[in-house]
Amino acid sequence: MNIAQIRLRVICMPLKSPFHTHLGTVTEREGIIVEVMDSDGVSGFGEGVAFSTPWYTEETVKTSLHILSDVLIPLLKKKQINHPEDAAGLFKKIKRNNMAKAGLEMALWDLYAKKNLLSLSSLLGGTRGEVASGVVIAADSLSNSLTQIEKYLEAGYQRFKIKISPRQDYSLLAEIRRQYPELPIMADANSAYTLKDIDSIKALDDFNLLMIEQPLASDDIIEHSLLQKEIRTPICLDESIVSFEDARKAIELGSCKVINIKAGRVGGLYEAKRIHDYCVGRGIEVWCGGMIEFGISRAHNVALASLPGFTVPGDISASNRFWEEDIITPEVTVENGFVTVPKGPGIGYGINEKRLRETTQFEKIITF
C-alpha cells in the first residue's frame, strides 16, 4: 500500500433531536474523518468515533487527533504495510487510544478493498446481502419513548434498545411491555448500577428482555460474572470489551452471554473480527453497536455486521435517524427492517463532498 497522503478533518453536526442517557444529553456530534490516499489517487475513508468529552471512554476528539497526527501516522511513515491487518500489529505498541487507531485502520481497509475491487464486506468474510436493523430509544420521558417506538416500529426496525437507569427502569419497561407485549426490546444501563442494586436488576427479569447491556462498571468483568449468575436476563457487555483479551476473559468468567462489538471501541475491524470469530466458536451472541456516528463509520458497521455471527439486529439505523443530511451518498436507508450491504468496492458509498466541506471545522494534510 503506497500511501501518498493522509487528510484529517474534524467535522461537527447538530443531531435532529437530543440523545438522552443518564450520563448526559448529546445535541451535536463532533468526529474525525480520516482519508488515506495512495499514489494512484485512490482514497479510503475511516471515522474516529470519540466524543468531544470523555463521557463514554477516556478518548476525546482532541486526544484522538493528537494520537493520529503525532503517533500513529508517523508510525505508518516508518513502515510500509501490505494489508490492513498489518496496521493492527504496528499500532499494538501504542497503549489504548483505540478510537484513534480504528479511524486510521478502517480507512486502510477501505483503501485496500477499493484497490483490489472488492467490497469491504466480502474482504472481511461477510455472508449476508442485507443486515437487520435495530434502533436506540434514548428519550427524556416515557411519552417520548413511546412516541419514538411507534415511529421506528412503523419504519420497520427489528429491535429496540431502551436506555435505563435506577431512576427510571422498572416503570418505564413495564409500560412499554404493557403496550407492546411482543416487541423485541433490550435495556442499556451504561454502567448505571452496582451490585447493591441487584434486587432492582433481578426485577427486570419480568420483562422478557433480549438482554441488559452493561449494567455495572464500564471497566468490570468480575462483578458482571456474579450478577449473571443471579439473573435470567442475558448480560451484554459493551464498554468493558475494548480488546480481544477482554472478550476472552469475560467469556471464560461467565460475565456475559452477549457481546456488543464496536469496531471503533476495540481498535478497528481486525480486532472486531477476531472477537466475532472467538464468540462464534463459543456460542456467544454478538451484535454490532453504534456510536451516533456519521455515514462513513455506519458504512463500516454495515460491512462488519454482514459477518455470519451477527445474529442480533445491530444499532445500524438509517442516516436520517440522526442527520438532516449525511456525509455519504447514497445515505444509509432501512427498508422493511434491513439495510442492504453494498456490493461496490470498499465501503460501497461515495462521499458527499459538499456536506463534508460544510461541516468541516479543522483540516490537516500529512504527506508521505
Side-chain angles (χ1 to χ4, degrees):
M1 301 176 73
N2 297 311
I3 299 171
Q5 72 172 39
I6 296 178
R7 177 177 296 186
L8 303 174
R9 298 178 178 93
V10 176
I11 69 171
C12 186
M13 251 193 259
L15 273 67
K16 290 171 67 176
S17 58
F19 187 89
H20 299 279
T21 75
H22 78 94
L23 297 170
T25 299
V26 180
T27 58
E28 66 176 16
R29 181 68 158 109
E30 276 191 308
I32 300 174
I33 305 304
V34 182
E35 179 184 359
V36 179
M37 182 184 294
D38 79 347
S39 56
D40 295 327
V42 179
S43 288
F45 290 87
E47 182 178 323
V49 293
F51 289 93
S52 302
T53 59
W55 66 270
Y56 179 75
T57 72
E58 65 273 21
E59 286 185 79
T60 68
V61 170
K62 286 184 179 179
T63 63
S64 289
L65 193 63
H66 156 58
I67 293 297
L68 282 162
S69 300
D70 300 331
V71 180
L72 299 179
I73 292 173
L75 282 178
L76 277 184
K77 281 188 169 185
K78 292 177 181 178
K79 184 175 177 63
Q80 179 172 319
I81 62 172
N82 298 312
H83 190 280
E85 291 182 354
D86 299 340
L90 182 63
F91 298 159
K92 195 170 184 178
K93 65 182 71 174
I94 306 303
K95 294 184 184 299
R96 309 286 285 197
N97 293 287
N98 285 341
M99 292 178 177
K101 292 176 182 178
L104 181 52
E105 189 244 35
M106 291 160 80
L108 293 169
W109 278 99
D110 184 34
L111 175 61
Y112 185 86
K114 286 172 178 172
K115 293 289 291 183
N116 287 276
L117 301 179
L118 294 169
S119 71
L120 180 58
S121 168
S122 62
L123 180 60
L124 292 172
T127 57
R128 292 190 177 90
E130 56 183 12
V131 297
S133 184
V135 70
V136 183
I137 305 300
D140 58 352
S141 67
L142 171 61
S143 61
N144 285 342
S145 294
L146 293 171
T147 298
Q148 286 189 26
I149 289 171
E150 186 62 28
K151 172 185 175 182
Y152 294 121
L153 193 58
E154 290 177 1
Y157 286 93
Q158 298 188 44
R159 188 231 67 212
F160 296 77
K161 179 162 79 171
I162 315 297
K163 293 287 187 177
I164 63 167
S165 71
R167 180 183 61 83
Q168 181 174 267
D169 51 14
Y170 195 93
S171 59
L172 174 65
L173 293 171
E175 185 58 24
I176 292 172
R177 184 54 84 206
R178 186 185 72 80
Q179 295 201 33
Y180 299 97
E182 304 301 324
L183 191 71
I185 60 176
M186 58 175 285
D188 183 8
N190 289 115
S191 304
Y193 299 82
T194 71
L195 284 180
K196 294 179 181 179
D197 302 305
I198 193 164
D199 290 337
S200 297
I201 300 171
K202 277 184 176 181
L204 304 183
D205 283 341
D206 291 348
F207 303 120
N208 192 30
L209 300 174
L210 295 174
M211 66 193 81
I212 178 169
E213 185 177 2
Q214 200 69 41
L216 306 179
S218 61
D219 58 354
D220 171 75
I221 57 174
I222 301 295
E223 291 188 347
H224 278 102
S225 71
L226 303 176
L227 178 62
Q228 184 65 92
K229 292 179 175 69
E230 298 296 324
I231 63 175
R232 296 195 309 273
T233 303
I235 289 176
C236 169
L237 291 182
D238 176 7
E239 292 95 325
S240 293
I241 308 300
V242 299
S243 68
F244 172 84
E245 281 302 307
D246 287 339
R248 182 186 65 79
K249 292 170 184 175
I251 292 168
E252 287 191 4
L253 287 170
S255 304
C256 62
K257 297 179 180 178
V258 189
I259 287 179
N260 170 355
I261 301 178
K262 294 176 180 173
R265 191 190 65 239
V266 302
L269 292 169
Y270 173 71
E271 194 81 345
K273 189 175 184 303
R274 288 183 71 208
I275 295 170
H276 161 275
D277 294 349
Y278 187 83
C279 289
V280 168
R282 282 148 186 83
I284 299 295
E285 288 192 293
V286 299
W287 57 282
C288 184
M291 290 286 294
I292 318 178
E293 61 261 285
F294 304 105
I296 291 170
S297 182
R298 199 174 301 266
H300 280 276
N301 289 348
V302 171
L304 178 63
S306 71
L307 271 63
F310 287 94
T311 54
V312 178
D315 286 340
I316 305 176
S317 52
S319 291
N320 66 11
R321 164 70 173 90
F322 295 118
W323 317 119
E324 293 290 352
E325 184 180 5
D326 206 344
I327 60 171
I328 59 168
T329 180
E331 295 190 351
V332 176
T333 58
V334 176
E335 301 290 341
N336 299 316
F338 290 91
V339 174
T340 299
V341 179
K343 296 180 180 178
I347 59 174
Y349 293 88
I351 302 300
N352 181 340
E353 296 286 355
K354 176 177 176 291
R355 186 58 172 160
L356 188 56
R357 286 195 302 272
E358 290 172 349
T359 57
T360 295
Q361 297 187 321
F362 170 86
E363 183 173 327
K364 180 177 184 178
I365 297 175
I366 301 168
T367 58
F368 276 57

